[in-house]
Amino acid sequence: TSNSSSDASSGASGGDFGWPEGPGGVKVGQVVPVFFEWDGVKAGESSPTKLYTVDWYDPNGDKNIDAVLVVSAKYDCQACAKEANELENKASYWQGAGLNVKIVTLVFNSPTNGPPDVNSALQWKSMYDLKSVDVGADPGVLFASESTFSTPLNTVVDPRTMEVIEIQEGYTDNYKILEQLAYSNGT
């Protein structure tokens, strides 16, 4: 059997697969790598599965994703808990405003401050009642572009190009860039 990450990464420079060209990475202006994957739980589901960056790629709008918000969070972070408590309301607000925002939270520690696993993702999703949010365990902290940063770390990705548009450290309840991107991609 083949696994999607190796199949997808073989086309990471465009090719048959069509992944966007550009410098790969998670800094502003870079193209999110095609091969990222996490153990986690998808929005609206309760069974563990794999989450892949390739699922966010929506070059023509066919998947109905106009912007992607990736929240890197940790259990012992009060600002992360505050944002997590408000994310479901934000998701409803955006949906009601006609904005198709894909929200993904990646936890990079466990409740005991060790490395996260799928149970850490399940617990986070349940703790904050995140029905509209994919939640994954990110022991490699794949979405952090620097070795030290403030949490939560919010990364806005354009699903048309997979380019990182904005990175915001700490919780400010400011999603202007995300909303602008969703509006412009949705029209």
Side-chain angles (χ1 to χ4, degrees):
T1 64
S2 72
N3 84 37
S4 342
S5 62
S6 62
D7 292 345
S9 63
S10 66
S13 61
D16 304 78
F17 183 70
W19 196 254
E21 299 279 345
V26 293
K27 292 184 177 181
V28 172
Q30 294 181 326
V31 174
V32 174
V34 66
F35 54 82
F36 282 177
E37 68 176 60
W38 303 270
D39 291 322
V41 190
K42 290 187 176 179
E45 297 182 13
S46 56
S47 300
T49 188
K50 289 279 189 194
L51 306 176
Y52 302 101
T53 49
V54 70
D55 293 337
W56 313 341
Y57 184 41
D58 191 7
N60 306 316
D62 299 337
K63 294 179 185 175
N64 221 18
I65 302 171
D66 296 327
V68 180
L69 172 63
V70 181
V71 179
S72 297
K74 57 186 199 168
Y75 271 90
D76 52 346
C77 161
Q78 289 180 335
C80 300
K82 180 172 175 41
E83 182 172 36
N85 271 320
E86 296 172 6
L87 264 183
E88 198 59 41
N89 285 338
K90 276 291 179 195
S92 295
Y93 167 77
W94 289 326
Q95 189 174 26
L99 301 177
N100 298 308
V101 177
K102 170 103 177 137
I103 307 170
V104 181
T105 295
L106 300 172
V107 291
F108 57 88
N109 70 347
S110 70
T112 58
N113 214 17
D117 59 15
V118 73
N119 291 322
S120 308
L122 283 162
Q123 186 172 335
W124 187 273
K125 188 171 181 72
S126 168
M127 216 162 54
Y128 297 106
D129 199 23
L130 298 172
K131 296 176 183 76
S132 307
V133 179
D134 289 2
V135 181
D138 188 11
V141 195
L142 295 177
F143 260 82
S145 58
E146 307 295 335
S147 56
T148 59
F149 56 90
S150 299
T151 52
L153 185 69
N154 289 350
T155 304
V156 176
V157 177
D158 184 341
R160 303 292 178 264
T161 63
M162 292 307 288
E163 182 181 333
V164 174
I165 303 300
E166 179 187 43
I167 298 172
Q168 206 171 305
E169 291 186 51
Y171 181 50
T172 64
D173 191 29
N174 177 349
Y175 299 99
K176 279 191 176 100
I177 302 290
L178 174 78
E179 291 169 353
Q180 289 169 353
L181 175 65
Y183 275 120
S184 68
N185 279 339
T187 55

